[in-house]
Amino acid sequence: MKIIKRAVLWLSIMLVLELLINAAGAFIVKRVGAENLINSMSGYSKRTEMILHPTFREENDGKANGLSGLAVRTILSDGRIYNHTKFGYNFLFLNFTMEQSVVFFDKDGTTQVSSGIFNIAYEDRGSKTDYIKFPVGIIDVKELCAQSNARELYSTLEKKQYDSIRLDEYSVDEDYIVRPKKMTLLDLDKNAVQSFEFPCEGEIIKDDSIYVYDMIELNEQMRNSSTSLCKKMKDVYDGKLKTDKTAMKLMKEADFSKSAQRVDKTIYGFASFTSKHVETTNGSAMVFALHFNYIKGVILYTIICAVILTAILLPIWIHKDKKAANSYY
């Protein structure tokens, strides 16, 4: 009975400490990560029309072709951020994983680009902003990963032994979804490194100036890059996001009777929390869900607290036992 009472006492104190640890982690991660991210992602309901229903216009004196909203859609794709760095950051709960799902829609519903993981295809004219000014459409990365030889492409991209990705042959549908037929990895001198071919329906377009926007960055940056095809394919292969269902449910909360709406909520769990965002602007809407998991920091502090608590209580219990034994004799 004595052992049971002491175990209950130890567990009760640890439960209180665990709640405090979780609260501290949620506060820090929300202040450092979630709030900044929510602010940077908010306000794009104003661009829903140019994302869902872009209007192509013939280029005039180098001006944008009207499809720049698609570049915004690729940056705000569903995906993950792996913020895992030095061990010491666990003490600040800053080694965390974030999952995000974003949905754009309007009064008429959704289109093929409303939700998903996308990468931009664009005409290269020698400028760093060509992917914004001259897109031809966006590639549905989930659809690409479903192709039989996509794994081979992914493995090759992981090696980072290329400079750029040219889209030699492709088709484009009415929602500006680009379906690759032939992609070629190029070196710095624009020589072919390796080509990949995929089944493709629709009218096939052949061009040697169309590229898939893909920035090769340092290893840690590449894991979180919103412009890396390799990273986006990894997000697909890592499985369904926890936030997908949450974002879809949030669509029901959009109120088109108001000219403008913004609702933010946070749901807390063990070593995690989910931030929910709903916004509407003049009949257009955007919702997103962000799920943060900082389990590494929680485990670290749980171990530390358990060791300290045991180190405090054990000598006390041993002393009491000895005192009781001496009084017995």
Side-chain angles (χ1 to χ4, degrees):
M1 183 61 71
K2 180 172 62 177
I3 293 175
I4 294 175
K5 287 182 178 179
R6 289 176 177 178
V8 170
L9 174 63
W10 188 90
L11 289 171
S12 298
I13 297 173
M14 279 302 302
L15 179 60
V16 174
L17 292 174
E18 195 67 36
L19 291 173
L20 293 174
I21 291 168
N22 272 271
F27 175 78
I28 293 172
V29 175
K30 190 173 183 181
R31 290 294 297 272
V32 174
E35 290 182 358
N36 291 333
L37 198 56
I38 290 170
N39 289 334
S40 66
M41 292 175 63
S42 299
Y44 284 97
S45 59
K46 297 175 182 177
R47 299 193 181 187
T48 297
E49 182 65 22
M50 62 188 294
I51 291 172
L52 298 184
H53 309 291
T55 302
F56 178 80
R57 57 175 177 264
E58 292 294 336
E59 169 265 330
N60 182 20
D61 296 329
K63 293 181 180 179
N65 66 4
L67 304 183
S68 60
L70 297 177
V72 174
R73 186 66 188 99
T74 61
I75 294 172
L76 293 176
S77 287
D78 300 348
R80 296 175 176 86
I81 291 179
Y82 305 91
N83 195 61
H84 299 286
T85 54
K86 297 178 180 178
F87 177 81
Y89 282 88
N90 287 318
F91 289 99
L92 297 174
F93 301 96
L94 295 183
N95 280 335
F96 60 82
T97 299
M98 188 276 288
E99 297 186 6
Q100 73 174 40
S101 296
V102 186
V103 185
F104 289 92
F105 58 104
D106 56 24
K107 289 180 179 179
D108 298 322
T110 61
T111 70
Q112 293 181 84
V113 303
S114 288
S115 63
I117 300 176
F118 305 101
N119 216 37
I120 197 80
Y122 70 102
E123 182 182 357
D124 183 8
R125 300 191 181 185
S127 171
K128 290 182 178 180
T129 59
D130 285 345
Y131 76 100
I132 297 175
K133 296 176 68 177
F134 308 116
V136 296
I138 54 179
I139 297 172
D140 185 332
V141 182
K142 288 183 180 179
E143 189 177 282
L144 176 64
C145 288
Q147 303 293 347
S148 59
N149 56 340
R151 282 280 185 181
E152 184 184 356
L153 170 62
Y154 175 65
S155 297
T156 306
L157 293 174
E158 275 192 310
K159 297 174 184 176
K160 300 185 286 293
Q161 296 175 347
Y162 66 97
D163 178 67
S164 56
I165 306 172
R166 189 176 65 209
L167 195 56
D168 301 306
E169 300 178 30
Y170 62 95
S171 67
V172 185
D173 68 13
E174 66 278 1
D175 288 327
Y176 293 97
I177 297 292
V178 170
R179 293 181 171 85
K181 178 174 174 56
K182 182 180 179 181
M183 299 170 67
T184 302
L185 306 187
L186 306 175
D187 62 19
L188 280 168
D189 297 320
K190 301 300 181 183
N191 297 315
V193 176
Q194 189 172 351
S195 293
F196 299 87
E197 294 192 16
F198 306 93
C200 182
E201 297 180 352
E203 181 184 351
I204 304 302
I205 301 170
K206 297 183 179 181
D207 203 321
D208 61 0
S209 64
I210 306 302
Y211 286 77
V212 177
Y213 190 62
D214 185 86
M215 295 295 290
I216 301 177
E217 306 180 34
L218 297 176
N219 289 339
E220 186 60 34
Q221 293 173 315
M222 188 172 181
R223 290 201 308 160
N224 298 315
S225 174
S226 60
T227 61
S228 166
L229 178 60
C230 181
K231 188 267 179 186
K232 289 174 181 285
M233 293 183 76
K234 182 181 187 305
D235 283 338
V236 174
Y237 289 134
D238 280 350
K240 201 166 185 179
L241 297 162
K242 294 181 178 69
T243 48
D244 283 347
K245 285 186 179 179
T246 305
M248 289 299 175
K249 289 180 181 178
L250 286 175
M251 294 174 64
K252 298 177 182 178
E253 299 185 22
D255 187 355
F256 291 114
S257 66
K258 300 177 181 178
S259 59
Q261 174 197 23
R262 172 165 175 161
V263 179
D264 290 290
K265 302 177 184 177
T266 303
I267 306 298
Y268 297 94
F270 175 72
S272 66
F273 64 87
T274 302
S275 294
K276 303 177 181 181
H277 178 86
V278 179
E279 65 174 73
T280 61
T281 303
N282 298 324
S284 298
M286 170 199 187
V287 301
F288 61 77
L290 310 176
H291 179 79
F292 291 83
N293 184 302
Y294 43 92
I295 187 66
K296 288 184 177 180
V298 171
I299 290 175
L300 175 63
Y301 276 107
T302 299
I303 293 172
I304 291 173
C305 289
V307 170
I308 293 174
L309 181 61
T310 303
I312 292 172
L313 292 180
L314 192 59
I316 294 174
W317 289 336
I318 292 173
H319 178 72
K320 282 186 175 182
D321 290 344
K322 286 183 178 179
K323 189 175 180 180
N326 292 333
S327 64
Y328 178 78
Y329 289 109

